């Protein structure tokens, strides 16, 4: 919202990046193949699910581009919806053409983390996604506009962000409050961390541990879906760290994900 809105060419480039050889979904597909072969799983291996994001058409944008020779103007809700439908159709086409053996498309994720600019649009996008028989994911930030209205907005797989990790001024109580809100509104939860969790960086591993402790106390890992946000490649860096505190965190996360 602060800079130029992404145009059709950027939306297309995003999809090209997702489906590029040796990158994104293709790299994941290949890695799963290697792991299944190495583990001797073979034909019993279940396809892993992929969710693709849908960019939000920025309200009022006039330079997005054309569909079938007609320029779209995002002051018009129907034009915003048409852009989303075009993107979803293109993503489905690319997924079909790729013929991935080890991953399958589960649904689409709405990139906007609040309802403010898409309150009247998300439901129509949802209808189109459900027509295609996919799920519609949403992960609003803590106290964002519309977070508790996820169902009426059109989403069917919602998660809630505590936003605790990123600022030491956010109190520990935030995590329990987020769990309580998610419980009242029927939402799943998100885990959040980045490179600052590493001992040789900010040493904020304690904040990551706080998530794990509170979520385990509330039975989150046993009863809810958990979305994992890692800034950059923080999880990978934890696995390679020579610091025992980092490795303890890495092992704990691995056990939670795989149990």
């Amino acid at each position: 919202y602060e800079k130029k809105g992404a145009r059709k060419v950027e939306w297309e480039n995003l999809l090209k990046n997702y489906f590029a050889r040796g990158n994104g979904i293709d790299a994941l597909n290949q890695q799963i193949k290697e792991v299944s072969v190495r583990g001797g799983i073979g034909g019993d291996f279940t396809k892993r699910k992929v969710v693709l994001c849908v960019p939000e058409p920025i309200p009022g944008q006039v330079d997005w581009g054309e569909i079938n020779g007609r320029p779209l103007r995002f002051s018009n809700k129907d034009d915003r919806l048409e852009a989303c439908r075009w993107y979803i159709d293109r993503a489905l086409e690319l997924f079909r053409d790729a013929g991935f053996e080890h991953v399958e498309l589960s649904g689409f994720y709405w990139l906007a983390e609040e309802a403010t600019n898409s309150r009247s649009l998300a439901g129509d996008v949802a209808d189109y996604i459900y027509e295609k028989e996919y799920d519609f994911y949403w992960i609003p930030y803590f106290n964002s506009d519309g977070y508790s209205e996820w169902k009426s907005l059109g989403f069917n797989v919602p998660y809630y962000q505590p936003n605790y990790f990123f600022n030491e001024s956010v109190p520990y109580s935030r995590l329990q409050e987020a769990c309580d809100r998610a419980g009242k509104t029927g939402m799943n939860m998100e885990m959040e961390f980045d490179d600052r969790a590493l001992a040789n960086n900010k040493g904020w591993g304690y904040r990551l541990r706080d998530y794990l402790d509170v979520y385990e106390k509330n039975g989150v890992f046993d009863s809810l879906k958990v979305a994992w946000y890692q800034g950059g490649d923080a999880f990978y860096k934890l696995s390679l760290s020579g610091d025992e505190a980092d490795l303890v965190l890495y092992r704990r996360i691995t056990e939670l994900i795989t149990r």
Side-chain angles (χ1 to χ4, degrees):
Y1 302 113
E2 297 173 0
K3 299 182 180 178
K4 292 182 178 180
R7 302 159 298 171
K8 183 181 181 182
V9 64
E10 279 84 40
W11 287 32
E12 206 152 21
N13 285 339
L14 177 64
L15 286 172
K16 286 177 182 176
N17 185 56
Y18 284 154
F19 289 93
R21 223 31 153 139
N23 189 54
I25 307 169
D26 181 70
L28 178 62
N29 185 65
Q30 290 301 316
Q31 184 66 28
I32 292 171
K33 179 180 179 181
E34 291 175 20
V35 170
S36 64
V37 170
R38 193 164 62 237
I41 299 169
D44 296 330
F45 195 80
T46 305
K47 283 189 176 183
R48 295 321 194 221
K49 298 182 184 300
V50 169
V51 178
L52 295 176
C53 87
V54 178
E56 182 187 21
I58 303 301
Q61 184 176 349
V62 296
D63 66 343
W64 183 80
E66 300 179 354
I67 292 180
N68 297 326
R70 186 177 71 84
L72 301 192
R73 295 181 175 273
F74 290 164
S75 54
N76 180 337
K77 179 193 147 183
D78 289 341
D79 282 3
R80 297 180 76 203
L81 178 59
E82 188 170 354
C84 292
R85 285 174 169 171
W86 169 85
Y87 178 92
I88 291 164
D89 288 344
R90 182 73 179 124
L92 292 175
E93 179 186 10
L94 289 168
F95 215 102
R96 282 193 299 269
D97 290 348
F100 296 121
E101 295 179 71
H102 303 286
V103 296
E104 60 186 2
L105 187 63
S106 174
F108 292 88
Y109 165 69
W110 191 238
L111 198 55
E113 296 181 1
E114 76 292 309
T116 308
N117 294 294
S118 299
R119 192 174 292 276
S120 64
L121 174 65
D124 290 329
V125 175
D127 288 342
Y128 193 67
I129 289 171
Y130 299 147
E131 280 177 23
K132 307 287 186 181
E133 300 185 340
Y134 292 100
D135 290 319
F136 199 20
Y137 294 71
W138 193 40
I139 312 182
Y141 58 80
F142 187 83
N143 212 30
S144 77
D145 176 29
Y147 81 89
S148 62
E149 304 167 52
W150 61 267
K151 190 176 290 186
S152 62
L153 288 168
F155 303 102
N156 72 322
V157 189
Y159 298 78
Y160 197 41
Q161 300 180 36
N163 303 134
Y164 166 77
F165 179 86
F166 310 103
N167 189 332
E168 284 192 300
S169 67
V170 176
Y172 179 75
S173 59
R174 166 69 66 82
L175 292 167
Q176 186 59 54
E177 185 178 0
C179 287
D180 291 343
R181 287 188 181 192
K184 287 177 184 176
T185 55
M187 301 177 77
N188 301 295
M189 294 296 296
E190 179 173 72
M191 279 290 308
E192 303 159 312
F193 67 103
D194 59 27
D195 288 5
R196 287 172 288 184
L198 290 152
N200 68 355
N201 195 322
K202 278 276 193 179
W204 283 7
Y206 80 94
R207 295 188 79 77
L208 174 52
R209 283 193 297 275
D210 289 345
Y211 277 85
L212 301 175
D213 291 344
V214 175
Y215 282 17
E216 286 201 283
K217 174 187 164 189
N218 283 271
V220 168
F221 296 111
D222 298 317
S223 60
L224 301 176
K225 298 176 189 291
V226 178
W228 291 79
Y229 169 84
Q230 55 147 349
D233 53 357
F235 181 67
Y236 179 63
K237 287 176 180 173
L238 284 173
S239 76
L240 297 179
S241 175
D243 191 291
E244 182 58 24
D246 291 341
L247 294 175
V248 167
L249 268 176
Y250 168 73
R251 288 192 290 267
R252 186 176 177 188
I253 291 170
T254 302
E255 287 168 7
L256 285 167
I257 292 173
T258 57
R259 76 182 184 189

